[in-house]
Amino acid sequence: MIEVHLGDITRLNVDVIVNAANTRLLGGGGVDGAIHRAAGPKLLRACRDLGGCPVGEVRATGAFSIPVKRIYHTVGPVWRGGRLGESELLASCYSHCLTLARRENMRSIAFPAISCGIYDYPPRLAVEIAVRQVQSHLEGEGEPRSIVFCCFDRKIAELYHAQLDTHVRR
Ligand code: AR6
């Protein structure tokens, strides 16, 4: 099942929320800032112990004051025109998160629009990649079966709806 939700990812009732972090994993603005504020200072301590994360990969922590089981911190690419492997790196964020969630037997996961804020990825292209990765995961076996695309921005939510209505039977 795929859903599109408009609102704050820290308020969702899911097993895993994904954070659009940076390679240092020491917090930042946007959704990263919101997650660190909601989780409390223990999250920063847990992230420090991870020692960073390369672009396109994922690292997991507990969620502290956020009532979910896990936070997956992934690092999307900065958009630099599209010829520097941005699409592969963004796809890899989604696929690594889904693979880890499957391995950890998490039933539901919520993604923000990774790279679509400060990292300037064109939302229309990012949404196509996100939907394709999720669709390909759902064609296989295993958890998670419930995926939420959590948007803070109505325009991005509309892009998800359009992409899902055209390409995915929900
Ligand atoms: N819930 C859901 N989505 C949100 C929330 C929220 N609470 N807050 C913002 N968004 P961004 P990036 C949306 O900039 O582009 C940080 O400083 C936002 O509207 O958070 O991957 C990190 O530390 C946008 O659509 O992430 C990195 O340095 C989407 O989340 C850098 O920003 C992603 O925007 C990562 O940049």
Side-chain angles (χ1 to χ4, degrees), residues 26 37 43 58 64 73 100 111 115 136 140-141 147 149 159-160 163 169:
L26 297 178
R37 275 193 301 280
L43 178 60
V58 63
F64 306 100
H73 307 265
L100 181 59
F111 287 98
S115 287
S136 123
E141 301 279 311
I147 317 286
F149 290 120
L159 290 172
Y160 272 111
Q163 185 69 18
R169 252 188 306 134

Side-chain angles (χ1 to χ4, degrees), residues 4 6 112-113 116-117 121-124 126-127 149-162:
V4 181
L6 189 60
C116 290
Y121 208 105
R124 188 178 299 277
V127 161
F149 290 120
C150 180
C151 309
F152 220 45
D153 176 319
R154 193 172 295 278
K155 285 206 184 109
I156 297 184
E158 282 164 11
L159 290 172
Y160 272 111
H161 281 298

Side-chain angles (χ1 to χ4, degrees), residues 21-167:
N22 57 61
T23 53
R24 295 184 310 143
L25 295 185
L26 297 178
V31 69
D32 196 5
I35 288 175
H36 275 269
R37 275 193 301 280
K42 287 183 183 162
L43 178 60
L44 186 57
R45 267 173 253 148
C47 284
R48 268 201 203 108
D49 291 342
L50 296 172
C53 176
V55 179
E57 293 192 20
V58 63
R59 300 289 183 267
T61 63
F64 306 100
S65 297
I66 301 178
V68 298
K69 291 181 178 161
R70 304 284 275 162
I71 300 175
Y72 290 175
H73 307 265
T74 190
V75 184
V78 176
W79 178 259
R80 299 186 200 279
R83 293 183 178 204
L84 293 172
E86 292 95 328
S87 60
E88 290 81 5
L89 289 166
L90 186 61
S92 159
C93 290
Y94 285 94
S95 65
H96 276 111
C97 287
L98 290 163
T99 302
L100 181 59
R102 177 184 290 152
R103 206 182 321 134
E104 294 194 323
N105 207 26
M106 297 287 142
R107 294 183 168 202
S108 51
I109 184 167
F111 287 98
I114 301 164
S115 287
C116 290
I118 296 163
Y119 283 180
D120 213 23
Y121 208 105
R124 188 178 299 277
L125 302 180
V127 161
E128 274 178 34
I129 290 170
V131 169
R132 204 179 310 127
Q133 292 303 315
V134 163
Q135 196 179 1
S136 123
H137 163 79
L138 289 174
E139 281 164 6
E141 301 279 311
E143 301 290 347
R145 307 311 299 174
S146 169
I147 317 286
V148 181
F149 290 120
C150 180
C151 309
F152 220 45
D153 176 319
R154 193 172 295 278
K155 285 206 184 109
I156 297 184
E158 282 164 11
L159 290 172
Y160 272 111
H161 281 298
Q163 185 69 18
L164 290 166
D165 290 345
T166 321
H167 295 281

